[in-house]
Amino acid sequence: MIPVFDTSCPVAGRSGEPVGAKLAAGTRPRIAIFSLTGCEGCSLAILELENELLDVLGAVDIVNFREGMSERDWNIDIGFVDGAVSTPHDEAQLRRLRECCKTLVAIGSCACLGGVNTLKNAQPQNEYRGYVYGEAARHFPTADARPLSAFVPIDHELPGCPLVREEFLRFVKCLLGGRPFRLPSYPVCVECKRRGNLCSYERGQICLGPLTRGGCDAICPSYGRACDGCRGVVSNEALKAFGRNMRTQYDVSLSDVLERLRLFGAFQESALP
Amino acid sequence: MLDGIISHQELLRRIDALRVERRLIGPVARVEPECMPPVRYFYQPVERADELALDFTYCVQSPKAVLLPPAEPLLRFDRESGKFRAGPVIDHTPTALIGVHPCDVHAIELLDAVFSNGNADGHYLARRRSLFIVAVDCPEPCTEGVFCRDMETHETDRGFDVILYRLDADRRYGVVFASDAGRAWLNPSLSSGGMRTPNSDDERTFIRYRQNKERAFEPRLPMPRRELPEMMARSYDSLLWEATAQRCYSCGSCNLACPTCYCFDIRDENELNGGGCRLREWDACMARDFALVAGGHNFRAKPGQRLRHRLYRKAAWIEAQTGLHGCVGCARCDRACTAKISIVEMLGQLAEEVQHAGTRP
Ligand code: SF4
Ligand code: SF4
Ligand code: SF4
Ligand code: SF4
């Protein structure tokens, strides 16, 4: 889970050290991409980079990529993982990946926050197993959906549903150039204002932009849709302010607020006022 | 005193003539069915004068973006054949900004001062020198909640090339010039038509226009503008900052919507081939990490400190530094704040506090 900072630390990559620090100098980094429980849309979003992907491919060796190739190799410099941990099998996979990958990067809301998978956490297990697997349910053990960081240390997190292609590219460029990478520490509103959008609130919508981490270039508000918080909560202060404002300025109840925040698992264990 | 009178049709023709040499930017109306009223105005590039809504109320975003883009490359660098080269990016595109209300004219004057004093900013100044400004006066408040009259920015006599007064429903415009370029643009001897000299009826209408305007703007602050710095000086320890900031998201919308906020951040974008560019982007003093410095120290780590800082800048410090308005009363910050934190209300509350403190023995 992406750390929420109440202090002023801007570093969203856990260590703040240059991304490529663990790479041996002068070698081509060996990169792999894996999927746990999710739609694998993040891996696809990477394939959609097309032109830019060719530049990147020129500088790295892709050694393991379920969506893109079949050859497998387990000596990995940087492993990107999308999807949440939702079954015991996912957990075992993830622990193995942690051992094989010098740097482990969670990509997408499922891997960083739990994502839409976490909707099941609020339902009784036998119920959802029944309607997902039917008769065969007993052959498919499952557990609450959790982000990768709930199980193993994660070096970097690139949230978003799906991940933001431009951000992924920027991350890879930092990685290859040995420069530090940081997620924006400001909310979506900053990018929304830079784009000159009319605010969703003026249209009478409740937008989660003010408390959601920026970096998506405010794509949803730019197309007339209020933000649903897929990149996670930007700070505890903003989360608390949201609770207060919904109650005192908009007459929206706390349960409705939590409902909205739950969609992508953006609600983190912090207390609302 | 008016310099001339021009009809709506003539005006549009003259604006179209500007298009030959300049790109046109001005207020364009957009239907927004879910808004009240169901229309909003935005500064946008246009090809023809009749796309402009010269009777616009206010534009959602200020014209700041025309002079200080939300993101702009300052320089580009590359590493071709192993050699590092870097060069500035300067934008001289001739532009006409049509339809700037007085508050925003004052705001541009402030930006001019900020970017020319001390370290002159070549990027800003190149754009400014290529800009032709046609101001449009406001006969009445553009919307509820503005306090431009309190800030003395609801009128202006400088900082533009031409200002237009919409004198009546016939769309007869009174014209005043503030530059030779403006004068040349509407020169009455132009064969394509231009303005005519005002007659006594025009002058009477203009006097009536100004009387009506004076009545239309109600004061919204409890004190005149010149007393604001003194009031702020006595409000540093007010409890209002922390109390109000409890609801603040530190989202910076108030800064980014503000026509006088000019702070920016600079970062480098690097490409895989060793080239790249240095980007300047709008920043916001309300954002959490605005005052973060090397070593991880944030000298305004609390939202209340940031809110106080912003109001001091707007109501006292910018004016102390430049002699110009730090806030022009357009209330864009109030409209942008989804937490409904209002600068007008805060100034009112501080004034009350200070008065109370003053009457105590
Ligand atoms: S639409 Fe949403 S993200 Fe954009 S400014 Fe409004 S609240 Fe912020
Ligand atoms: S704030 Fe005042 S000067 Fe500015 S547009 Fe509105 S009425 Fe005109
Ligand atoms: S502080 Fe608010 S009212 Fe003053 S100029 Fe900025 S946006 Fe307008
Ligand atoms: S717009 Fe409102 S919530 Fe956002 S930083 Fe400004 S005062 Fe705070």
Side-chain angles (χ1 to χ4, degrees):
Chain A
M1 183 151 306
I2 299 168
V4 171
F5 294 106
D6 266 341
T7 57
S8 53
C9 175
V11 182
R14 187 134 306 177
S15 53
E17 71 196 23
V19 181
K22 292 182 189 169
L23 297 177
T27 59
R28 288 158 64 88
R30 298 162 60 79
I31 290 189
I33 303 178
F34 306 96
S35 293
L36 301 179
T37 297
C39 69
E40 300 185 25
C42 291
S43 309
L44 280 175
I46 294 174
L47 283 182
E48 277 168 23
L49 280 166
E50 294 177 7
N51 291 342
E52 297 91 334
L53 191 61
L54 291 179
D55 288 343
V56 173
L57 287 178
V60 303
D61 288 328
I62 304 262
V63 294
N64 211 316
F65 191 163
R66 192 153 116 205
E67 290 285 345
M69 54 189 290
S70 51
E71 196 187 319
R72 300 291 161 89
D73 194 324
W74 290 103
N75 171 20
I76 298 157
D77 289 312
I78 299 132
F80 293 97
V81 183
D82 73 10
V85 174
S86 185
T87 65
H89 179 251
D90 284 342
E91 186 183 339
Q93 275 270 79
L94 176 63
R95 293 196 188 280
R96 175 157 176 233
L97 292 175
R98 179 66 274 186
E99 275 166 23
C100 302
C101 304
K102 296 193 185 77
T103 298
L104 198 58
V105 186
I107 55 174
S109 300
C110 298
C112 299
L113 307 164
V116 287
N117 303 287
T118 55
L119 288 176
K120 75 171 183 180
N121 299 358
Q123 303 169 34
Q125 219 196 81
N126 50 7
E127 233 170 69
Y128 67 73
R129 284 179 68 197
Y131 66 67
V132 174
Y133 302 112
E135 296 286 292
R138 70 194 164 83
H139 300 301
F140 295 94
T142 173
D144 275 5
R146 316 270 302 274
L148 310 190
S149 58
F151 300 90
V152 297
I154 299 295
D155 299 293
H156 294 278
E157 298 183 286
L158 304 177
C161 186
L163 97 173
V164 180
R165 291 196 294 253
E166 292 70 20
E167 189 169 76
F168 174 79
L169 265 188
R170 192 163 61 82
F171 178 82
V172 173
K173 286 175 191 165
C174 286
L175 174 104
L176 296 172
R179 280 182 305 274
F181 171 86
R182 284 161 172 65
L183 288 176
S185 63
Y186 51 73
V188 178
C189 296
V190 168
E191 286 152 359
C192 203
K193 287 284 177 281
R194 285 182 189 154
R195 287 186 71 154
N197 293 334
L198 180 67
C199 180
S200 306
Y201 283 81
E202 280 213 47
R203 296 200 178 96
Q205 302 167 337
I206 300 286
C207 178
L208 299 190
L211 65 155
T212 301
R213 186 186 296 278
C216 58
D217 207 17
I219 183 158
C220 296
S222 302
Y223 286 96
R225 218 199 121 82
C227 168
D228 273 320
C230 78
R231 288 175 56 83
V233 169
V234 69
S235 75
N236 278 333
E237 280 161 1
L239 182 65
K240 287 183 182 143
F242 186 65
R244 292 190 183 103
N245 287 324
M246 285 304 111
R247 203 178 57 232
T248 64
Q249 312 294 311
Y250 292 89
D251 204 17
V252 173
S253 73
L254 189 65
S255 57
D256 289 355
V257 171
L258 294 180
E259 204 61 24
R260 277 295 291 284
L261 286 165
R262 240 175 229 141
L263 180 54
F264 287 103
F267 172 61
Q268 315 200 9
E269 304 306 313
S270 346
L272 282 164
Chain B
M1 276 292 286
L2 293 171
D3 289 324
I5 295 289
I6 193 166
S7 71
H8 190 69
Q9 281 315 316
E10 292 292 349
L11 178 64
L12 294 190
R13 236 172 270 154
R14 294 310 303 153
I15 294 175
D16 282 329
L18 274 180
R19 176 72 189 95
V20 177
E21 287 171 6
R22 297 173 177 274
R23 109 192 128 127
L24 294 180
I25 297 179
V28 173
R30 203 164 85 196
V31 178
E32 286 290 343
E34 291 149 281
C35 292
M36 267 310 291
V39 60
R40 288 290 184 275
Y41 299 92
F42 296 85
Y43 283 110
Q44 270 172 19
V46 297
E47 285 304 317
R48 292 196 331 268
D50 60 9
E51 296 170 53
L52 297 171
L54 291 176
D55 56 353
F56 72 113
T57 49
Y58 64 90
C59 282
V60 172
Q61 277 84 24
S62 80
K64 170 171 80 173
V66 175
L67 285 161
L68 188 67
E72 63 168 320
L74 296 181
L75 58 88
R76 291 191 195 286
F77 47 89
D78 62 51
R79 217 184 269 277
E80 249 157 59
S81 57
K83 267 184 107 168
F84 181 81
R85 292 183 315 187
V89 182
I90 305 280
D91 176 10
H92 293 283
T93 318
T95 304
L97 183 55
I98 316 281
V100 185
H101 281 332
C103 56
D104 287 335
V105 172
H106 284 276
I108 291 175
E109 243 191 314
L110 173 74
L111 299 184
D112 289 351
V114 167
F115 287 104
S116 15
N117 297 347
N119 253 340
D121 185 296
H123 308 273
Y124 176 93
L125 291 176
R127 252 187 239 103
R128 181 67 181 93
R129 288 187 190 118
S130 318
L131 189 66
F132 183 81
I133 297 181
V134 178
V136 175
D137 192 58
C138 302
E140 58 191 14
C142 57
T143 183
E144 268 175 36
V146 297
F147 54 109
C148 50
R149 187 205 156 156
D150 302 79
M151 301 313 280
E152 298 159 16
T153 52
H154 64 317
E155 2 181 69
T156 178
D157 55 9
R158 56 174 201 207
F160 50 79
D161 293 283
V162 178
I163 189 167
L164 304 169
Y165 297 88
R166 279 187 294 133
L167 292 185
D168 50 30
D170 292 346
R171 304 205 278 185
R172 167 173 55 148
Y173 289 91
V175 177
V176 171
F177 298 119
S179 78
D180 290 339
R183 217 172 277 277
W185 176 50
L186 292 185
N187 192 323
S189 66
L190 286 171
S191 56
S192 69
M195 58 169 209
R196 61 173 172 80
T197 21
N199 57 34
S200 55
D201 174 58
D202 299 323
E203 290 296 356
R204 270 197 305 278
T205 313
F206 188 46
I207 290 169
R208 248 194 336 269
Y209 172 99
R210 303 189 58 160
Q211 286 167 344
N212 290 341
K213 173 163 177 165
E214 201 48 40
R215 276 194 295 274
F217 283 82
E218 306 261 339
R220 294 204 66 225
L221 293 184
M223 68 212 343
R225 171 191 165 207
R226 60 173 187 284
E227 290 173 21
L228 285 175
E230 167 65 19
M231 179 197 81
M232 292 304 292
R234 296 167 63 187
S235 302
Y236 197 81
D237 295 320
S238 168
L239 298 178
L240 186 72
W241 309 121
E242 267 310 313
T244 312
Q246 293 256 308
R247 296 197 292 105
C248 173
Y249 295 113
S250 301
C251 70
S253 287
C254 45
N255 296 125
L256 300 162
C258 174
T260 66
C261 275
Y262 49 76
C263 286
F264 53 79
D265 191 18
I266 292 185
R267 66 185 171 88
D268 288 354
E269 282 279 322
N270 297 274
E271 297 306 327
L272 288 174
N273 62 14
C277 71
R278 176 156 294 177
L279 270 186
R280 153 152 85 188
E281 289 177 317
W282 287 356
D283 205 347
C285 64
M286 293 298 288
R288 190 190 58 205
D289 290 346
F290 181 85
L292 183 74
V293 292
H297 179 62
N298 189 333
F299 51 89
R300 280 193 298 277
K302 289 193 190 157
Q305 296 171 324
R306 298 194 283 273
L307 193 58
R308 174 172 66 193
H309 173 83
R310 175 173 152 250
L311 258 74
Y312 264 87
R313 295 276 298 160
K314 295 296 161 191
W317 292 340
I318 290 183
E319 186 167 359
Q321 278 171 346
T322 62
L324 297 165
H325 299 75
C327 166
V328 298
C330 67
R332 282 194 182 90
C333 51
D334 286 15
R335 292 194 292 271
C337 181
T338 64
K340 302 190 187 172
I341 293 172
S342 156
I343 189 171
V344 191
E345 279 173 27
M346 290 188 72
L347 291 174
Q349 285 162 339
L350 292 174
E352 233 174 74
E353 281 182 16
V354 166
Q355 268 160 16
H356 268 280
T359 54
R360 247 184 262 137

